[in-house]
Amino acid sequence: MKIINEEILKGLLNIFKINSQRIEVYGKLSETIYTPELQQHFKTQADESTLLLNELNSILYQSFENSESPILYEDSTIDQSVFYFGMARASNNPRTVMVSCQFGDEFLMKAYQKILEFLEVKYMPSLNDILTKHLKSIKHQKVNIENLLLSNLTMKYFKIQ
């Protein structure tokens, strides 16, 4: 599948960039948490973003190969997700990392919704399916993280350093 719409390509690059950071941050959380259930929860988030990057990588490669006007990785926009995941990467406080991930995921969902508005299902059903599946997963996991943050017991799950 080759994408020729420049707006969609830039949006996909943005999603690619955000998920690259998301992998690192959720991996960091899974190493910070010592409760096995929560470790698995955050590892799943990182694994899902890795899967998405693998799927997007082949689509982007096909679209950029022999492209008339090359779009560079640097051409993707910097949005709020990049900011919040950047904060999470820089922090050593697990609660700050979780909150930053929560905000990052909120803005990431908006990026997915924006790009899905550009896609016409009949022209790119597999890309639409990939993005829709990941968006649903993020929404589901967001609720789980919110419940953790609202819990008074959250801090007992973190290693004390």
Side-chain angles (χ1 to χ4, degrees):
M1 163 185 8
K2 185 172 181 177
I3 301 168
I4 56 174
N5 183 305
E6 189 173 309
E7 197 66 30
I8 292 175
L9 281 174
K10 285 183 179 179
L12 289 175
L13 271 176
N14 189 38
I15 287 173
F16 191 93
K17 186 180 280 187
I18 294 167
N19 275 284
S20 296
Q21 287 187 343
R22 193 171 186 269
I23 292 166
E24 183 180 341
V25 172
Y26 277 107
K28 180 179 180 177
L29 269 176
S30 70
E31 293 169 4
T32 308
I33 303 294
Y34 69 88
T35 302
E37 299 82 24
L38 294 177
Q39 283 177 333
Q40 185 57 44
H41 170 79
F42 294 124
K43 184 180 179 325
T44 298
Q45 290 297 302
D47 291 346
E48 286 180 356
S49 282
T50 301
L51 179 63
L52 178 75
L53 288 188
N54 291 337
E55 292 172 330
L56 281 182
N57 198 34
S58 65
I59 293 169
L60 290 171
Y61 179 78
Q62 289 174 16
S63 297
F64 290 138
E65 190 176 48
N66 301 322
S67 179
E68 295 168 10
S69 61
I71 297 173
L72 304 173
Y73 186 72
E74 294 78 24
D75 290 338
S76 65
T77 58
I78 303 290
D79 71 358
Q80 290 291 95
S81 289
V82 175
F83 171 75
Y84 285 113
F85 285 122
M87 283 179 50
R89 286 173 57 201
S91 178
N92 290 324
N93 181 320
R95 191 160 182 84
T96 300
V97 174
M98 283 180 69
V99 171
S100 295
C101 286
Q102 189 70 5
F103 285 123
D105 280 346
E106 185 70 36
F107 286 101
L108 177 59
M109 288 187 300
K110 290 178 183 178
Y112 277 85
Q113 290 165 342
K114 181 179 177 182
I115 200 162
L116 285 168
E117 289 173 8
F118 283 112
L119 294 176
E120 292 195 27
V121 177
K122 62 184 175 183
Y123 294 117
M124 292 182 252
S126 63
L127 178 58
N128 188 57
D129 291 345
I130 291 167
L131 296 176
T132 301
K133 178 183 168 191
H134 198 239
L135 175 61
K136 285 179 183 177
S137 175
I138 292 171
K139 285 180 180 179
H140 174 74
Q141 296 300 330
K142 182 178 175 296
V143 171
N144 291 341
I145 293 172
E146 283 175 351
N147 290 335
L148 284 174
L149 292 175
L150 293 174
S151 169
N152 290 332
L153 303 174
T154 300
M155 291 312 291
K156 81 175 190 176
Y157 295 116
F158 299 112
K159 293 178 182 174
I160 299 175
Q161 299 177 3

